[in-house]
Amino acid sequence: MVVTSAPGKLILMGEHAVVFGKPAIAMAVDLRLRCSVERAGRYTVNGHPLDRRYHSYIVSAIDQFWKGGGLDIRTIGDLPSGSGLGSSAALTVAFVRAIEELDGKYDEESVARRAFLVELHVQGRASPIDTSASTHGHGILISGEGNDPLWTIELGDRRWDVHHLDVPQMSMVIGYTGIHAPTGPLVAKVKRYYDRTNFAKETIEEIADLTEEGQTRLKTGDVVGLGELMTRNHKLLSILGVSCPELNRLVRASLPYSYGAKLTGSGGGGSMVALTDEPERVCEAIRRHGGTPFLVRTGVEGVRLEK
Ligand code: MEV
């Protein structure tokens, strides 16, 4: 039996724009998904027969990357599905890591590439940010600048250079709305808007500019500047139509005690993140406004073999 685990992530800046090949910053968080895999006579997931509808990520990974026959797969974790915290990426990465182990040929870059292909297949459109952050851990910077990327992924006219990012000590609170919001439809919605209007194209460019500035603020440890950029990023995401009243409420509730706050991940529900040095007060404000707070540790290890 092989047991692996992979972390969820938060996107500090640049979600959605990254799907168009723009820069983004993500961090692995200490909410992990554990996956155990054992050879078996047939395919089961948590005791149920493998089902294309309910286990789409696992089915896609098996179709593309596993020739070895039946598997007994078990998953357990701290990451609510559709929470914007990278639960599907963590599941995919942990499973792909496990089958590479069974095949006797594990390689970090290969896990990141394969997991991206699985997300792309299931969601229809995706960037490699979630799967790269869950594979590599720590921080991830997607940018066209800087040399020596961990890996480069190209798709049509889009190119993502994935870089390691050292994550400075920062206190971050996540607020989960409790609303399950799958990524695929939100990514498709932004694409339709982008194809139809110049306004959406300009908004994506503005997010890209903010994210580049955010990279500089992060490097210099300017939390005040970074927080402001995050809040502006949230407004631009709202303009793109991926926020919702519950996310806006949690962002507003956090701001009096934060440097900045924004939705994180694909939006439409899911979660927001606040950069703060008053985490307890932010947690309390989120709770008061109907959300579930998580005080997370960032910059944690990526996918790993547990057993
Ligand atoms: C989802 O966590 C991030 C998005 O940018 C989608 C993607 O990059 O694949 C919304």
Side-chain angles (χ1 to χ4, degrees):
M1 184 201 286
V2 171
V3 183
T4 61
S5 79
K9 61 87 214 341
L10 62 81
I11 297 186
L12 198 64
M13 295 189 73
E15 53 273 269
H16 284 291
V18 69
V19 181
F20 297 85
K22 306 296 179 196
I25 307 165
M27 292 166 186
V29 296
D30 62 340
L31 301 170
R32 297 187 81 87
L33 181 134
R34 235 170 116 91
C35 178
S36 77
V37 179
E38 197 171 7
R39 290 181 197 272
R42 60 193 189 117
Y43 288 103
T44 53
V45 180
N46 296 328
H48 302 286
L50 185 69
D51 185 309
R52 286 198 173 265
R53 255 174 319 163
Y54 301 123
H55 312 123
S56 47
Y57 292 89
I58 292 176
V59 169
S60 175
I62 289 172
D63 287 349
Q64 296 186 68
F65 305 117
W66 176 249
K67 305 276 172 284
L71 294 171
D72 176 10
I73 303 156
R74 286 175 193 270
T75 62
I76 184 160
D78 320 316
L79 281 159
S81 127
S83 60
L85 301 175
S87 56
S88 53
L91 167 65
T92 308
V93 164
F95 180 65
V96 170
R97 171 71 182 88
I99 57 177
E100 288 208 352
E101 189 67 25
L102 286 177
D103 267 340
K105 52 169 198 212
Y106 162 63
D107 173 69
E108 182 180 276
E109 179 172 340
S110 153
V111 171
R113 285 184 183 282
R114 288 174 160 192
F116 168 61
L117 290 174
V118 169
E119 278 220 330
L120 185 65
H121 176 242
V122 175
Q123 288 173 18
R125 238 176 104 74
S127 84
I129 192 152
D130 291 11
T131 40
S132 285
S134 184
T135 304
H136 180 68
H138 312 283
I140 286 286
L141 185 65
I142 298 216
S143 124
E145 280 167 37
N147 36 33
D148 210 15
L150 293 165
W151 44 80
T152 295
I153 293 181
E154 288 182 83
L155 194 69
D157 58 355
R158 287 170 293 161
R159 172 196 168 106
W160 296 277
D161 287 320
V162 180
H163 298 269
H164 167 87
L165 178 74
D166 282 323
V167 176
Q169 264 314 316
M170 289 186 300
S171 157
M172 220 83 84
V173 174
I174 284 173
Y176 175 41
T177 58
I179 302 170
H180 171 88
T183 303
L186 288 151
V187 168
K189 177 178 173 183
V190 174
K191 173 80 168 109
R192 281 195 302 276
Y193 192 21
Y194 182 93
D195 287 342
R196 271 205 319 264
T197 69
N198 279 335
F199 183 62
K201 291 189 186 74
E202 284 159 19
T203 307
I204 295 280
E205 288 303 331
E206 263 185 77
I207 292 177
D209 292 345
L210 286 188
T211 306
E212 297 220 335
E213 211 182 317
Q215 292 175 17
T216 314
R217 302 294 164 116
L218 197 58
K219 271 190 210 129
T220 56
D222 174 7
V223 283
V224 175
L226 185 59
E228 276 169 21
L229 292 169
M230 287 169 65
T231 308
R232 279 167 63 196
N233 192 166
H234 179 75
K235 294 198 175 116
L236 294 174
L237 288 163
S238 306
I239 289 172
L240 281 182
V242 295
S243 192
C244 65
E246 292 80 0
L247 278 169
N248 293 341
R249 193 180 314 136
L250 298 188
V251 166
R252 258 198 320 272
S254 308
L255 279 175
Y257 319 108
S258 306
Y259 296 109
K262 62 181 275 293
L263 73 84
T264 184
S266 44
S271 300
M272 49 70 67
V273 59
L275 177 62
T276 176
D277 56 12
E278 295 185 84
E280 294 308 334
R281 296 184 82 172
V282 174
C283 286
E284 180 46 37
I286 288 172
R287 223 175 272 121
R288 253 199 336 265
H289 289 81
T292 307
F294 297 92
L295 215 169
V296 290
R297 203 158 57 79
T298 52
V300 300
E301 201 185 339
V303 66
R304 66 176 181 232
L305 195 62
E306 301 282 350
K307 203 160 91 188

